[in-house]
Amino acid sequence: MPRAPFIVFEGIEGAGKTTLAHRLTDWLHARGVPVLLTREPGGSELGRQLRPVLLHQPLDAYTELFLFLADRRQHTQQVILPALTRGTWVLCDRYADSTLVYQGYGRGLDIELIRQLNTLATDGLVPDLTVLIDLPVAEALTRADAPNRFEAETLEFHQRIREGYLHEAQRAPERYLILNGLEPLETLQAQLQVSVQRWL
Ligand code: TYD
C-alpha cells in the first residue's frame, strides 16, 4: 500500500497555521480518515523536552540549528514515518522549511548546507503538500499569542522569513498551496479542502 499523505503547515508567527491544521484534522476525522496532527518542535518524546529550550533559552545559531534537526530526525523516525506507513495521514505544524527559512534566511546560516542537513534529518521525506499561509508581517505579529524568542525578533527578521517561504515555494510550486492569510479562516479552509480532495 502506498503511504498516506503528508501535509505540512508553514508561515510566519500569527499566520493561523495551527488553527487551520486543527480545522483540517476535524474535517478529515468527520470523513472517517485516520489523521495524526503533530508539530515541530515537540512532536516526539525527545522533542517535548527540547521545545522549551528551543523557544525560550538563548542559543548559539548552530546549536539552535542542530537541536531543530535532532527534533526533526527523532520526530520523523518515531512518529511521522510509522504513521504514514500504517496509512494514517500526517498533518504537521512546521517541518523542514521552517529550518530553511528561520535558521537560513532568518539567522543567515548557509541555506544549501541546511538543505543537506534537512535531507538527513527527514530521511528524504518530502511533504506531499505544504500549506503556506502568507500575510504581511505587521499584520501577523499583532495576532501572535504566546511570545517566544523568535517573536521577539525584529520586523526585518520576520520579513526575511516571509520572503524565504515565498522563494522556497517558487522552487517547487506544485508541492505548495499558498493561501492569503488576510482572508477569513473559512475561506482558507474551503480552499484547503478542495486541494486535499485529490487524496480522498
Ligand atoms: P511555535 O510556538 O510552535 O510557533 P508557531 O505557533 O508560530 O508555529 O514556535 C515555534 C518557533 O520555532 C517559531 O517561532 C519558529 C521556530 N522554528 C525555527 O526557528 N526553526 C525550525 O526548524 C522550527 C520547526 C521552528
Side-chain angles (χ1 to χ4, degrees):
M1 185 180 80
R3 69 165 178 79
F6 178 37
I7 302 174
V8 168
F9 293 78
E10 295 279 3
I12 56 180
E13 275 84 7
K17 297 177 274 82
T18 308
T19 313
L20 195 60
H22 276 97
R23 294 256 188 134
L24 183 64
T25 303
D26 292 346
W27 186 79
L28 287 167
H29 271 148
R31 272 150 196 79
V33 176
V35 191
L36 174 74
L37 173 61
T38 184
R39 69 170 173 184
E40 290 193 358
S44 66
E45 211 37 62
L46 170 71
R48 281 182 273 284
Q49 300 186 48
L50 291 178
R51 186 175 166 89
V53 174
L54 280 163
L55 295 191
H56 303 294
Q57 189 164 309
L59 298 171
D60 164 79
Y62 280 105
T63 307
E64 178 181 284
L65 170 68
F66 296 144
L67 290 180
F68 276 118
L69 292 165
D71 173 67
R72 179 156 310 124
R73 174 81 196 177
Q74 194 75 0
H75 188 209
T76 303
Q77 292 298 318
Q78 299 212 320
V79 178
I80 300 175
L81 286 173
L84 293 174
T85 308
R86 64 174 185 265
T88 298
W89 291 42
V90 175
L91 273 49
C92 191
D93 191 345
R94 298 192 179 280
Y95 197 59
D97 280 356
S98 279
T99 311
L100 268 182
V101 302
Y102 281 81
Q103 281 63 54
Y105 294 85
R107 298 267 190 251
L109 302 186
D110 186 316
I111 289 170
E112 294 313 312
L113 174 67
I114 298 177
R115 254 186 242 293
Q116 288 176 27
L117 293 171
N118 261 337
T119 303
L120 197 64
T122 59
D123 235 352
L125 176 69
V126 174
D128 299 295
L129 180 70
T130 297
V131 181
L132 172 57
I133 308 182
D134 179 60
L135 82 171
V137 170
E139 171 65 26
L141 291 185
T142 63
R143 303 182 185 178
D145 43 10
N148 63 40
R149 273 185 321 115
F150 297 93
E151 278 153 35
E153 285 289 342
T154 59
L155 274 185
E156 291 71 32
F157 178 88
H158 289 101
Q159 192 59 42
R160 289 202 297 281
I161 303 299
R162 182 186 186 195
E163 282 159 15
Y165 273 129
L166 292 171
H167 192 254
E168 288 303 311
Q170 276 164 16
R171 290 171 51 100
E174 68 288 352
R175 283 195 269 109
Y176 286 80
L177 173 68
I178 303 180
L179 298 177
N180 177 358
L182 294 175
E183 302 258 19
L185 196 58
E186 287 64 34
T187 309
L188 306 188
Q189 192 182 348
Q191 290 168 344
L192 178 53
Q193 284 168 199
V194 168
S195 178
V196 304
Q197 282 291 347
R198 70 186 104 166
W199 294 297
L200 291 174

